[in-house]
Amino acid sequence: MSASRLIRIGTRSSPMALAQAERVRAELTALNPDLTAEIVPITTSGDRWTGPLSALGGKGAFTKEVDEALLAGRADLAVHCMKDVPGDRPVPAGTVFAAYLPRDDIRDALIHPGGRTLDQLPAGTRVGTSAVRRIAQLAQSHPHLETVPIRGNANTRLARLDDGAADALLLAVSGLERIGQAGRITEILSVETMCPPIGAGVLGLQCREDDTDTAQLVAGMDDLDARRQVTAERMLLHVLQGHCNSPIAGHAHTEPDGRLSLRAKVFSPDGKTVLDAHEWGPGTDPTTLGASVAVALLRQGAQDLLNAIPH
Ligand SMILES: NCc1[nH]cc(CCC(=O)O)c1CC(=O)O
C-alpha cells in the first residue's frame, strides 16, 4: 500500500457511531503512522425514522446507506455495531467483514434518575425501550413494570428520559461508555436478568471484498475471540431467520480452555414463554455451534414463536 494512502471511514452520524468511527480512525493511524484516515458521516433511514423499525424493514435501516457508500466507493471502510447488522440476510454482495474489534461489555444497564435498581422500581414504573428482546424479558421477570416505546439514538433517549417521557431507561453499557454517559448508569443487569442481543458489544469493520489493501490494513485489528463469538451468534440468527423484531437473545463466550459457549433464548412477546438452549463446542468451529443451538431452540418450538411476530 502506498504510504500516503487515504482511508475514508463510513459511519452512521449518531454520536455513538461517530465515537466508534473515531476509535477505529485513531487505532488505524496509530498502527500505520503514514496513513491518513477521515470519517464520512452517513445519515441512515433508521436514524431519520422515529417510528417502529419494522416499518422500515428492520435493522437494515441502520446499515443500508453505509453499505451503499462502501460499494459506491464513497467510503473504504464501514464501522457497524454487529448488533445492528441484519441476521436474516447475508452481508451485501461484494463486501466482507475484515475485522471484529475486541468485544466490549455485552450487558444492558438501567438508568433511573432516582437511583433505584430494577427490583426497587415500584409497580407501574414506565421503562423506556422499543426492543422486543428487552420488553419480553422485562414482562417475564418484572411484570409489574410498564414499558413505553422510546426510539432514537442513546443521547436522544437520555434526553427524552430527562423530559419525562419515561421513568427509567434500558440501554447497552457499551453504548453508554462509547458516548461518555456511563455515569448515568444506575444498575448493570446480569445476563441472567437481561440476556443480550446477538452481536452485542462488537464493532465490525466492513470493506469491499476486492479491496485487499484495506482488508490487510485492518486485519491486524481483528480479535479472534470476538470473531468466533460473533460467527456462532450470527449463525444461530441466520438459522432462526431472526430480524429486528424477533424476540431472540444470546451470547457466546470463550471458556478458559478455548471452548466456545453459546446460550440463546427465544421469547413470546409477553414473556410468558421462554425457550432456552446452552451448548459448548470447539472454538475452531463456531458455525456448527451456532447451528446446533438454533436447532435445539427450534426443537423446543421456536419457529411457532418467531412466525407469530410480523417482520
Ligand atoms: N441501535 C441501537 C444500538 N446499537 C448498538 C448499541 C449498543 C452498542 C453495541 O451493542 O455495540 C445500541 C444502543 C443500545 O442498544 O442501547
Side-chain angles (χ1 to χ4, degrees):
M1 177 182 301
S2 67
S4 60
R5 168 81 194 272
L6 166 68
I7 286 276
R8 297 159 299 166
I9 303 172
T11 176
R12 287 174 55 201
S13 49
S14 70
M16 183 191 309
L18 291 172
Q20 292 164 179
E22 176 50 33
R23 167 181 166 186
V24 172
R25 192 200 62 76
E27 287 184 21
L28 263 182
T29 48
L31 287 170
N32 306 274
D34 295 335
L35 182 76
T36 304
E38 67 182 30
I39 291 172
V40 179
I42 299 157
T43 300
T44 67
S45 48
D47 292 313
R48 286 189 294 266
W49 175 251
T50 57
L53 271 183
S54 53
L56 288 181
K59 289 194 173 178
F62 289 115
T63 57
K64 187 164 52 71
E65 288 86 351
V66 180
D67 295 337
E68 287 166 355
L70 193 60
L71 287 167
R74 296 195 303 273
D76 306 301
L77 194 63
V79 180
H80 291 295
C81 294
M82 292 313 296
K83 165 189 173 190
D84 289 337
V85 178
D88 54 347
R89 68 198 74 161
V91 291
T95 72
V96 63
F97 276 97
Y100 295 104
L101 298 191
R103 189 160 215 167
D104 292 326
D105 199 317
I106 63 171
R107 295 171 295 176
D108 277 349
L110 174 74
I111 292 104
H112 182 257
R116 289 178 182 236
T117 65
L118 193 61
D119 288 340
Q120 293 169 344
L121 294 178
T125 299
R126 300 170 300 148
V127 180
T129 180
S130 296
V132 289
R133 167 189 64 87
R134 291 172 172 148
I135 293 167
Q137 294 184 81
L138 214 51
Q140 182 215 2
S141 63
H142 295 75
H144 56 287
L145 302 181
E146 305 294 326
T147 53
V148 290
I150 283 204
R151 280 216 54 237
N153 63 50
N155 301 73
T156 303
R157 298 185 208 183
L158 289 168
R160 296 203 54 206
L161 172 70
D162 296 340
D163 290 344
D167 304 315
L169 284 182
L170 290 178
L171 284 169
V173 170
S174 57
L176 290 163
E177 288 174 339
R178 292 170 191 162
I179 61 173
Q181 293 292 329
R184 299 283 310 256
I185 294 174
T186 310
E187 178 187 16
I188 295 180
L189 305 182
S190 72
V191 295
E192 283 301 322
T193 302
M194 187 58 68
C195 192
I198 296 299
V202 177
L203 297 180
L205 307 188
Q206 183 187 19
C207 65
R208 290 180 296 276
E209 206 165 24
D210 59 1
D211 184 354
T212 50
D213 278 354
T214 300
Q216 284 165 6
L217 188 70
V218 303
M221 300 169 71
D222 191 46
D223 179 87
L224 183 58
D225 284 343
R227 175 172 290 275
R228 287 172 169 174
Q229 292 162 17
V230 166
T231 301
E233 291 172 18
R234 291 183 59 75
M235 173 53 77
L236 173 125
L237 205 56
H238 176 69
V239 172
L240 294 178
Q241 281 296 283
H243 50 81
C244 85
N245 254 355
S246 300
I248 298 171
H251 62 100
H253 74 265
T254 306
E255 300 286 3
D257 64 4
R259 286 184 310 146
L260 208 51
S261 155
L262 175 61
R263 183 177 189 184
K265 299 181 178 181
V266 177
F267 312 90
S268 58
D270 63 6
K272 289 186 166 59
T273 305
V274 179
L275 310 180
D276 189 343
H278 190 176
E279 298 180 12
W280 286 259
T284 51
D285 190 5
T287 48
T288 298
L289 178 62
S292 180
V293 175
V295 167
L297 289 165
L298 289 169
R299 286 204 178 106
Q300 293 179 42
Q303 197 61 67
D304 294 337
L305 291 185
L306 296 171
N307 288 345
I309 308 282
H311 253 72

